[in-house]
């Protein structure tokens, strides 16, 4: 497994954790909002002996709506949330085709409904969903599958930064299954879509939110 992150510190701890679990892993640093770094990353991945799956999980906590978002912020959100996934998909498609591989893009439930004040993030993730479907059709003839996972609120470091414990507990009460997602819930969905068990699934968006969106609660 190859892990990619902007922060060497986070990367080292992730790789160490995987190795402790008996998983062969190494890390590469790259800022996927920078085209030249995406190119360097793709060139490094081209040398991977057995490239079977690419997970595009880069993104930012873009905030703002249609009336208060500067165009440079809009461009930055599209760069990291959409262009990075599209670019890497193009560059790595032929290598993935050698192994009937898979691409999984990490979108969000806000791509499906727009909470107040989250128009910028919703637009970027919505564009990623559309890109996922387009890539799925174009790459299908090569045997490469392309899908997306759309997490609801997930107990990541970022979510904890913007919410108090009380706010997180309140949001959890709105989830039919009674809790916010754990990162492992999202990882398991991604693993499934990358696996042979999902061999006839492409162009789909798998929502992982404990039933919140089904209940009309985009939280």
């Amino acid at each position: 497994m190859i892990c990619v992150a902007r922060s060497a510190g986070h990367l080292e701890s992730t790789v160490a954790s995987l190795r402790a679990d008996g998983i062969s892993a190494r890390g590469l640093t790259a800022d996927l909002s920078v085209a030249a770094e995406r190119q360097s990353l793709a060139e490094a991945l081209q040398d991977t002996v057995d490239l079977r799956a690419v997970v595009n999980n880069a993104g930012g906590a873009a905030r703002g709506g249609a009336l208060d978002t500067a165009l440079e912020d809009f461009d930055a959100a599209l760069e990291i949330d959409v262009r990075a996934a599209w670019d890497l998909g193009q560059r790595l498609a032929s290598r993935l085709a050698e192994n009937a591989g898979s691409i999984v893009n990490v979108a969000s439930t806000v791509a499906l409904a727009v909470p107040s004040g989250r128009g910028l993030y919703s637009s970027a993730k919505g564009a990623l969903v559309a890109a996922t479907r387009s890539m799925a059709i174009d790459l299908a003839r090569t045997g490469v599958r392309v899908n997306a996972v759309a997490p609801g609120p997930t107990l990541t470091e970022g979510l904890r930064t913007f919410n108090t414990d009380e706010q997180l507990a309140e949001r959890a009460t709105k989830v039919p299954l009674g809790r916010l997602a754990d990162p492992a819930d999202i990882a398991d969905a991604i693993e499934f879509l990358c696996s042979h068990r999902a061999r006839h699934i492409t162009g789909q968006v798998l929502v992982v939110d404990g039933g919140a969106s089904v209940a009309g609660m985009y939280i």
Side-chain angles (χ1 to χ4, degrees), residues 38-48 91-92:
R38 292 197 299 267
Q39 179 178 348
S40 297
L41 173 62
E43 289 171 354
L45 293 177
Q46 291 284 358
D47 296 330
T48 302
R91 294 180 185 276
L92 298 173

Side-chain angles (χ1 to χ4, degrees), residues 113-155:
V114 187
S116 176
R118 299 303 305 277
L120 174 57
Y121 188 59
S122 181
S123 296
K125 291 300 187 180
L128 180 59
V129 167
T132 296
R133 291 171 172 156
S134 297
M135 293 167 69
I137 295 300
D138 291 341
L139 296 183
R141 62 180 179 272
T142 72
V144 175
R145 298 178 299 104
V146 188
N147 293 289
V149 167
T154 304
L155 289 170

Side-chain angles (χ1 to χ4, degrees), residues 44-144:
L45 293 177
Q46 291 284 358
D47 296 330
T48 302
V49 174
D50 192 21
L51 186 65
R52 293 184 177 274
V54 172
V55 178
N56 289 306
N57 191 36
R63 293 180 177 271
L67 299 179
D68 60 357
T69 298
L71 285 179
E72 55 266 30
D73 293 334
F74 187 83
D75 290 341
L78 291 180
E79 185 75 33
I80 189 62
D81 282 299
V82 188
R83 195 189 301 269
W86 186 275
D87 189 6
L88 289 174
Q90 281 188 329
R91 294 180 185 276
L92 298 173
S94 60
R95 287 288 285 113
L96 288 167
E98 294 173 9
N99 297 302
S102 174
I103 296 172
V104 177
N105 297 322
V106 180
S108 169
T109 53
V110 302
L112 310 176
V114 187
S116 176
R118 299 303 305 277
L120 174 57
Y121 188 59
S122 181
S123 296
K125 291 300 187 180
L128 180 59
V129 167
T132 296
R133 291 171 172 156
S134 297
M135 293 167 69
I137 295 300
D138 291 341
L139 296 183
R141 62 180 179 272
T142 72
V144 175

